[in-house]
Amino acid sequence: MDETVSTNGTKSSDYDAVIVGGSLAGNTAAMLLGREGLRVALVERQPGPDAFKRICSHFIQASGVPPLERLDLLDPILAAGGVRSRIQAWTRWGWLKAPPDEAGLGLNLRREVLDPLVREAAASTPGVDLHLGRIATGLVREGEAVSGVVVRDRDGKETTLRGRLVVGADGRDSDIAEMAGVKEKVIPHGRFAYGGYFEGGVPEYAPDSAIWFMDPHWAAAFPTDSDLVFYAAMPTKELLPEFKRDPTEALTSFVAGLPEAPPIREARLVEPVLGKVEMPSRERVPVAPGLALVGDAALAADPLFGVGCGWAFQSGEWLADSVAPALRGEERLERGLKRYRRTHKRKLGGHEFMIRDYSSGRKITPPERLLFSAACRDQKVAATFDKFATRQVGPAKTLAKTIPRSIYVNARHALRSRGAAEQPAPAEEASAAR
Ligand SMILES: Cc1cc2nc3c(=O)[nH]c(=O)nc-3n(C[C@H](O)[C@H](O)[C@H](O)COP(=O)(O)OP(=O)(O)OC[C@H]3O[C@@H](n4cnc5c(N)ncnc54)[C@H](O)[C@@H]3O)c2cc1C
């Protein structure tokens, strides 16, 4: 790292990339760029290496697991107590359970354990300098392009970190995006979230997780490390006053009142129930000259579908793969940024489109009813649906594969139900014979 001191005493350091935000997305990008032999400054405002995101249900979708394998983090995560699991969904047509499939396994590990583990791996990657306890307060520009970040330490001292690329990995309220004037779309959210970790009373389907589509309310049980279960509720806002009045009691009775409820009443809360009332989706253009956004800074989707952590790992990976050739001097940075933008849109655009609409708090629509009901009745539909829900395939392919079969499955179900209704019951049969 080259460090110079300017006439006004401000220090300035040169890197290939300056990444702001030392959480899942930022650490992923830093590790992969470091492995390419590039010099990376990783700036995190939290002072302690053990800092973690507190408001998060922590479930990582199957699509987020391959980047962890690539980063050699899957084994350490499992050794730290990570639990591989699938999700089964309760719907008014019954349980939607896909047939077992190794590729469909997600991952549960509390952020309290996950975040320090991932950060430590980034900090020990050659080429990566982790700057803890520094907050990004300004951007430096050369012409149109962003070319550095002003960071302030806890004593108020400012340093400029210059980089050929600046990366905003600073979450849904990204300061970097705001300072850069990146265009964003904010989509209001009709639900709120409360959740907490409980011990004891583990559901019978553990290690698998369960979610409930109470239409429009939603709930979940995620068994995780240390024999804990994270219970979460995401109701629509008319239930907010009772959750605000007594979050623990409201969460416990909400979960205990679910159909085929998990045994939350037999469990003990191990830390305070936390809630988030406002969680609008935020979609931003993920590149600008000299700048890229990853993770929630690029796209903060509705947490109900548990996609944010996986997308943070994936977008960090896509960015590093897209810009590494340019940062090695093999092509123009603009080309790498374009490649990243295209990949981000191609992989996540369709999913985000589907997720965004449901975040209004609406009830499920007739086409969704068709798919959910058919998936509960037929393992082939369930398998395709699961690949979509775990974000391994996009909506277009899923709809093309499931709609015709769903129509067939439901028509067959209707015929069988009608046939059964027309069959005389055994008692009626006997009296008719008499
Ligand atoms: C209620 C709720 C439940 C959720 N449940 C799930 C779930 O079950 N599964 C799932 O996959 N996702 C879930 N999410 C989403 C998930 O938490 C995020 O998508 C994920 O944390 C995004 O990771 P990230 O690295 O992009 O950003 P973050 O984890 O938000 O990290 C941003 C980092 O940037 C740092 N930072 C911010 N500003 C600055 C600055 N100016 N200077 C320096 N550093 C800065 C912060 O300190 C932080 O470390 C949930 C979210 C919510 C709100």
Side-chain angles (χ1 to χ4, degrees):
M1 187 232 313
D2 308 319
E3 198 169 76
T4 52
V5 181
S6 71
T7 44
N8 65 5
T10 314
K11 281 192 180 165
S12 159
S13 307
D14 292 331
Y15 289 93
D16 293 306
V18 179
I19 300 177
V20 177
S23 181
L24 308 183
N27 289 322
T28 302
M31 267 183 268
L32 292 174
L33 291 174
R35 286 181 182 189
E36 290 290 327
L38 298 162
R39 295 159 308 156
V40 181
L42 180 58
V43 180
E44 170 54 50
R45 73 176 166 198
Q46 298 290 342
D50 291 343
F52 63 96
K53 186 162 190 269
R54 285 177 188 274
I55 307 260
C56 181
S57 322
H58 79 239
F59 181 75
I60 300 172
Q61 291 287 7
S63 62
V65 175
L68 294 174
E69 287 181 298
R70 177 173 170 191
L71 293 165
D72 303 313
L73 286 175
L74 186 55
D75 287 341
I77 283 174
L78 296 177
V83 173
R84 300 300 309 270
S85 77
R86 292 154 12 101
I87 291 192
Q88 55 182 52
W90 185 91
T91 73
R92 74 167 102 140
W93 300 276
W95 284 100
L96 196 172
K97 283 189 215 176
D101 169 16
E102 183 75 13
L105 285 172
L107 189 56
N108 277 294
L109 182 65
R110 283 172 302 143
R111 296 290 298 258
E112 185 175 351
V113 185
L114 177 72
D115 290 22
L117 187 155
V118 178
R119 187 172 300 115
E120 163 59 26
S124 56
T125 304
V128 177
D129 287 345
L130 174 61
H131 299 263
L132 284 175
R134 297 214 193 168
I135 181 161
T137 55
L139 293 179
V140 180
R141 290 177 188 269
E142 263 168 41
E144 288 252 292
V146 176
S147 60
V149 183
V150 179
V151 298
R152 196 176 55 219
D153 69 15
R154 295 174 80 76
D155 300 324
K157 200 173 81 194
E158 290 203 327
T159 308
T160 300
L161 302 172
R162 291 185 184 277
R164 288 194 289 144
L165 173 68
V166 168
V167 180
D170 50 344
R172 57 166 45 239
D173 300 320
S174 174
D175 293 332
I176 295 295
E178 196 183 330
M179 290 188 278
V182 169
K183 270 200 204 151
E184 74 167 13
K185 214 192 276 175
V186 179
I187 297 109
H189 200 289
R191 297 182 180 84
F192 62 93
Y194 275 81
Y197 286 97
F198 289 72
E199 73 178 0
V202 172
E204 65 193 28
Y205 37 78
D208 283 344
S209 304
I211 57 177
W212 282 259
F213 281 97
M214 299 304 294
D215 201 22
H217 306 316
W218 184 93
F222 297 112
T224 188
D225 61 287
S226 313
D227 295 327
L228 297 175
V229 180
F230 186 78
Y231 286 113
M234 279 200 207
T236 48
K237 292 207 169 132
E238 71 273 12
L239 299 192
L240 186 56
E242 66 186 81
F243 274 80
K244 278 197 161 167
R245 210 165 27 247
D246 186 343
T248 306
E249 176 46 32
L251 175 68
T252 309
S253 10
F254 187 80
V255 171
L258 295 168
E260 298 181 52
I264 191 169
R265 293 248 184 244
E266 293 158 34
R268 188 180 72 85
L269 183 67
V270 295
E271 50 189 57
V273 166
L274 296 177
K276 189 152 176 77
V277 176
E278 293 305 332
M279 37 187 193
S281 304
R282 305 183 83 150
E283 301 171 19
R284 301 187 176 98
V285 178
V287 301
L291 177 82
L293 303 174
V294 287
D296 272 12
L299 173 56
D302 183 355
L304 186 143
F305 291 96
V307 291
C309 298
W311 288 1
F313 292 121
Q314 288 176 280
S315 58
E317 180 182 32
W318 298 330
L319 176 69
D321 289 346
S322 301
V323 298
L327 296 180
R328 284 195 306 259
E330 294 161 11
E331 64 178 20
R332 289 174 52 223
L333 181 58
E334 204 187 339
R335 273 194 82 176
L337 289 175
K338 256 194 193 156
R339 196 178 296 129
Y340 169 60
R341 182 179 181 170
R342 270 200 312 269
T343 309
H344 195 277
K345 177 132 188 88
R346 181 165 48 82
K347 301 271 193 179
L348 304 187
H351 286 293
E352 170 50 14
F353 178 78
M354 305 282 282
I355 288 174
R356 183 198 300 158
D357 196 46
Y358 192 63
S359 73
S360 65
R362 68 161 171 79
K363 290 172 87 94
I364 60 175
T365 57
E368 288 163 348
R369 266 183 243 153
L370 168 73
L371 289 183
F372 275 52
S373 54
C376 290
R377 292 170 183 146
D378 180 77
Q379 286 285 280
K380 274 193 183 157
V381 178
T384 314
F385 193 83
D386 192 58
K387 282 215 163 6
F388 167 66
T390 55
R391 311 298 155 186
Q392 299 178 87
V393 297
K397 212 167 161 185
T398 307
L399 293 176
K401 263 184 114 172
T402 48
I403 295 257
R405 187 161 177 95
S406 297
I407 293 170
Y408 160 74
V409 165
N410 282 357
R412 188 184 60 190
H413 174 80
L415 282 175
R416 282 184 184 158
S417 309
R418 196 178 310 154
E422 282 167 7
Q423 284 286 327
E428 286 170 27
E429 240 173 301
S431 68
R434 271 202 297 270

PDB file of all heavy atoms in Angstrom, residues 249-260:
ATOM      1  N   GLU A 249     -44.667 -11.495  24.205  1.00  0.00           N
ATOM      2  CA  GLU A 249     -45.966 -12.157  24.320  1.00  0.00           C
ATOM      3  C   GLU A 249     -46.640 -12.220  22.936  1.00  0.00           C
ATOM      4  O   GLU A 249     -47.198 -13.241  22.559  1.00  0.00           O
ATOM      5  CB  GLU A 249     -46.842 -11.405  25.336  1.00  0.00           C
ATOM      6  CG  GLU A 249     -48.263 -11.941  25.485  1.00  0.00           C
ATOM      7  CD  GLU A 249     -48.350 -13.460  25.610  1.00  0.00           C
ATOM      8  OE1 GLU A 249     -47.432 -14.090  26.168  1.00  0.00           O
ATOM      9  OE2 GLU A 249     -49.346 -14.040  25.099  1.00  0.00           O
ATOM     10  N   ALA A 250     -46.533 -11.126  22.177  1.00  0.00           N
ATOM     11  CA  ALA A 250     -47.189 -11.101  20.863  1.00  0.00           C
ATOM     12  C   ALA A 250     -46.561 -12.140  19.936  1.00  0.00           C
ATOM     13  O   ALA A 250     -47.266 -12.884  19.255  1.00  0.00           O
ATOM     14  CB  ALA A 250     -47.088  -9.707  20.253  1.00  0.00           C
ATOM     15  N   LEU A 251     -45.233 -12.221  19.953  1.00  0.00           N
ATOM     16  CA  LEU A 251     -44.558 -13.200  19.076  1.00  0.00           C
ATOM     17  C   LEU A 251     -44.923 -14.628  19.502  1.00  0.00           C
ATOM     18  O   LEU A 251     -45.267 -15.471  18.670  1.00  0.00           O
ATOM     19  CB  LEU A 251     -43.032 -13.005  19.147  1.00  0.00           C
ATOM     20  CG  LEU A 251     -42.200 -14.034  18.382  1.00  0.00           C
ATOM     21  CD1 LEU A 251     -42.392 -13.884  16.870  1.00  0.00           C
ATOM     22  CD2 LEU A 251     -40.708 -13.903  18.707  1.00  0.00           C
ATOM     23  N   THR A 252     -44.881 -14.870  20.819  1.00  0.00           N
ATOM     24  CA  THR A 252     -45.155 -16.226  21.304  1.00  0.00           C
ATOM     25  C   THR A 252     -46.587 -16.629  20.967  1.00  0.00           C
ATOM     26  O   THR A 252     -46.831 -17.729  20.468  1.00  0.00           O
ATOM     27  CB  THR A 252     -44.905 -16.305  22.829  1.00  0.00           C
ATOM     28  OG1 THR A 252     -43.619 -15.772  23.099  1.00  0.00           O
ATOM     29  CG2 THR A 252     -44.975 -17.725  23.328  1.00  0.00           C
ATOM     30  N   SER A 253     -47.562 -15.757  21.219  1.00  0.00           N
ATOM     31  CA  SER A 253     -48.928 -16.196  20.924  1.00  0.00           C
ATOM     32  C   SER A 253     -49.184 -16.282  19.432  1.00  0.00           C
ATOM     33  O   SER A 253     -49.925 -17.162  18.994  1.00  0.00           O
ATOM     34  CB  SER A 253     -50.031 -15.339  21.566  1.00  0.00           C
ATOM     35  OG  SER A 253     -49.563 -14.211  22.104  1.00  0.00           O
ATOM     36  N   PHE A 254     -48.536 -15.418  18.665  1.00  0.00           N
ATOM     37  CA  PHE A 254     -48.725 -15.505  17.210  1.00  0.00           C
ATOM     38  C   PHE A 254     -48.237 -16.863  16.699  1.00  0.00           C
ATOM     39  O   PHE A 254     -48.934 -17.556  15.952  1.00  0.00           O
ATOM     40  CB  PHE A 254     -47.951 -14.366  16.531  1.00  0.00           C
ATOM     41  CG  PHE A 254     -48.195 -14.256  15.060  1.00  0.00           C
ATOM     42  CD1 PHE A 254     -49.331 -13.635  14.574  1.00  0.00           C
ATOM     43  CD2 PHE A 254     -47.285 -14.779  14.158  1.00  0.00           C
ATOM     44  CE1 PHE A 254     -49.559 -13.538  13.196  1.00  0.00           C
ATOM     45  CE2 PHE A 254     -47.503 -14.694  12.787  1.00  0.00           C
ATOM     46  CZ  PHE A 254     -48.648 -14.071  12.309  1.00  0.00           C
ATOM     47  N   VAL A 255     -47.027 -17.257  17.127  1.00  0.00           N
ATOM     48  CA  VAL A 255     -46.445 -18.523  16.648  1.00  0.00           C
ATOM     49  C   VAL A 255     -47.233 -19.714  17.222  1.00  0.00           C
ATOM     50  O   VAL A 255     -47.525 -20.681  16.510  1.00  0.00           O
ATOM     51  CB  VAL A 255     -44.939 -18.598  17.001  1.00  0.00           C
ATOM     52  CG1 VAL A 255     -44.370 -19.978  16.705  1.00  0.00           C
ATOM     53  CG2 VAL A 255     -44.164 -17.527  16.247  1.00  0.00           C
ATOM     54  N   ALA A 256     -47.614 -19.611  18.506  1.00  0.00           N
ATOM     55  CA  ALA A 256     -48.354 -20.727  19.124  1.00  0.00           C
ATOM     56  C   ALA A 256     -49.722 -20.912  18.469  1.00  0.00           C
ATOM     57  O   ALA A 256     -50.285 -22.014  18.506  1.00  0.00           O
ATOM     58  CB  ALA A 256     -48.511 -20.477  20.615  1.00  0.00           C
ATOM     59  N   GLY A 257     -50.245 -19.860  17.858  1.00  0.00           N
ATOM     60  CA  GLY A 257     -51.569 -19.951  17.236  1.00  0.00           C
ATOM     61  C   GLY A 257     -51.539 -20.400  15.786  1.00  0.00           C
ATOM     62  O   GLY A 257     -52.579 -20.476  15.129  1.00  0.00           O
ATOM     63  N   LEU A 258     -50.355 -20.710  15.257  1.00  0.00           N
ATOM     64  CA  LEU A 258     -50.265 -21.147  13.858  1.00  0.00           C
ATOM     65  C   LEU A 258     -50.843 -22.550  13.711  1.00  0.00           C
ATOM     66  O   LEU A 258     -50.827 -23.329  14.663  1.00  0.00           O
ATOM     67  CB  LEU A 258     -48.785 -21.187  13.420  1.00  0.00           C
ATOM     68  CG  LEU A 258     -48.046 -19.854  13.368  1.00  0.00           C
ATOM     69  CD1 LEU A 258     -46.539 -20.092  13.213  1.00  0.00           C
ATOM     70  CD2 LEU A 258     -48.581 -18.998  12.215  1.00  0.00           C
ATOM     71  N   PRO A 259     -51.333 -22.912  12.519  1.00  0.00           N
ATOM     72  CA  PRO A 259     -51.756 -24.299  12.330  1.00  0.00           C
ATOM     73  C   PRO A 259     -50.536 -25.217  12.441  1.00  0.00           C
ATOM     74  O   PRO A 259     -49.459 -24.870  11.948  1.00  0.00           O
ATOM     75  CB  PRO A 259     -52.319 -24.322  10.902  1.00  0.00           C
ATOM     76  CG  PRO A 259     -52.084 -22.978  10.331  1.00  0.00           C
ATOM     77  CD  PRO A 259     -51.499 -22.073  11.335  1.00  0.00           C
ATOM     78  N   GLU A 260     -50.732 -26.353  13.106  1.00  0.00           N
ATOM     79  CA  GLU A 260     -49.618 -27.298  13.354  1.00  0.00           C
ATOM     80  C   GLU A 260     -48.420 -26.520  13.910  1.00  0.00           C
ATOM     81  O   GLU A 260     -47.289 -26.598  13.403  1.00  0.00           O
ATOM     82  CB  GLU A 260     -49.260 -28.067  12.089  1.00  0.00           C
ATOM     83  CG  GLU A 260     -50.435 -28.910  11.596  1.00  0.00           C
ATOM     84  CD  GLU A 260     -50.091 -29.709  10.351  1.00  0.00           C
ATOM     85  OE1 GLU A 260     -49.081 -30.426  10.362  1.00  0.00           O
ATOM     86  OE2 GLU A 260     -50.854 -29.584   9.371  1.00  0.00           O
TER      87      GLU A 260
END
